[in-house]
Amino acid sequence: MRLNKEGTAWKALIYAINWKGLWQTGTLDGNLLRTIEDDACIQGTRPEYVSYKNKWYVATADYGNHGNEVRLYNPEKLSTCTKTSDPGVLYKKFTCTPWVQNLNWIPQKGLLVLIQNQIEGRKWRFTAVDRVPDNVMNAMLWKAIKGENAKVPAPVRAAFVKTVKKGDGDND
């Protein structure tokens, strides 16, 4: 993160790193290839590699208090761009709740966990994709299957009632 020139807003940054050189030297000296502006981001989290549909992506999320998203970036396009809004960099995005501090990918479960504050700067909350509210999860799934601009239908609720004959020993 870096404060803009005016000192009024934080800019999220993603660093392209020479991993082979980093492992050999144990330092970023000479191994930082370039800085990529995550200009789609509201403040921002540390990027995390995630697997989606058998392909790897770089995931980031927002720390703001409204309009938050988790974004999946194409790593090949990310390796040659200067900002995340460049064509072809963004693969997919979905909305999330505010104050995402960090992301954690659990590969054994194929699960992305959002590490969040409950309110700005305080109280931890861990949100797994399968623990988000039903309407948010349904919208994410619908758009993943039908496309980002597909209209999400209203939920359908159902109830099941088991009838019993009077005199079956039930005192109700």
Side-chain angles (χ1 to χ4, degrees):
M1 297 269 277
R2 185 180 298 164
L3 203 55
N4 67 359
K5 292 179 204 175
E6 298 80 22
T8 57
W10 290 98
K11 296 173 83 175
L13 302 172
I14 299 173
Y15 297 104
I17 297 170
N18 172 0
W19 288 100
K20 185 176 179 182
L22 176 68
W23 288 117
Q24 288 175 349
T25 64
T27 178
L28 282 174
D29 294 342
N31 292 311
L32 180 59
L33 301 175
R34 82 179 170 296
T35 302
I36 303 155
E37 182 182 345
D38 193 357
D39 58 342
C41 197
I42 303 168
Q43 296 181 15
T45 64
R46 292 168 187 88
E48 175 76 278
Y49 278 106
V50 301
S51 178
Y52 178 72
K53 294 187 177 183
N54 297 317
K55 186 171 178 189
W56 287 95
Y57 295 93
V58 175
T60 66
D62 299 314
Y63 188 75
N65 62 353
H66 66 280
N68 300 325
E69 298 173 327
V70 173
R71 286 169 301 285
L72 301 180
Y73 296 130
N74 178 323
E76 290 85 21
K77 297 283 186 178
L78 199 58
S79 70
T80 60
C81 73
T82 58
K83 57 186 183 238
T84 57
S85 62
D86 286 350
V89 176
L90 178 66
Y91 171 71
K92 186 168 282 301
K93 63 182 177 178
F94 57 89
T95 59
C96 66
T97 51
W99 314 124
V100 178
Q101 286 274 351
N102 213 339
L103 304 169
N104 184 37
W105 174 248
I106 304 172
Q108 302 84 350
K109 296 187 179 207
L111 185 65
L112 179 62
V113 177
L114 309 181
I115 301 157
Q116 300 173 269
N117 291 134
Q118 292 179 32
I119 54 177
E120 184 177 12
R122 296 186 296 193
K123 294 183 164 183
W124 288 104
R125 172 178 69 218
F126 298 93
T127 306
V129 171
D130 65 344
R131 300 214 33 211
V132 298
D134 284 347
N135 62 331
V136 174
M137 176 57 95
N138 289 340
M140 287 186 327
L141 290 172
W142 188 265
K143 289 178 180 245
I145 294 166
K146 300 289 186 177
E148 185 64 32
N149 296 321
K151 184 177 180 193
V152 179
V156 176
R157 307 281 186 216
F160 300 93
V161 178
K162 179 181 177 185
T163 59
V164 293
K165 293 180 184 175
K166 191 171 185 164
D168 65 356
D170 190 4
N171 293 331
D172 293 337

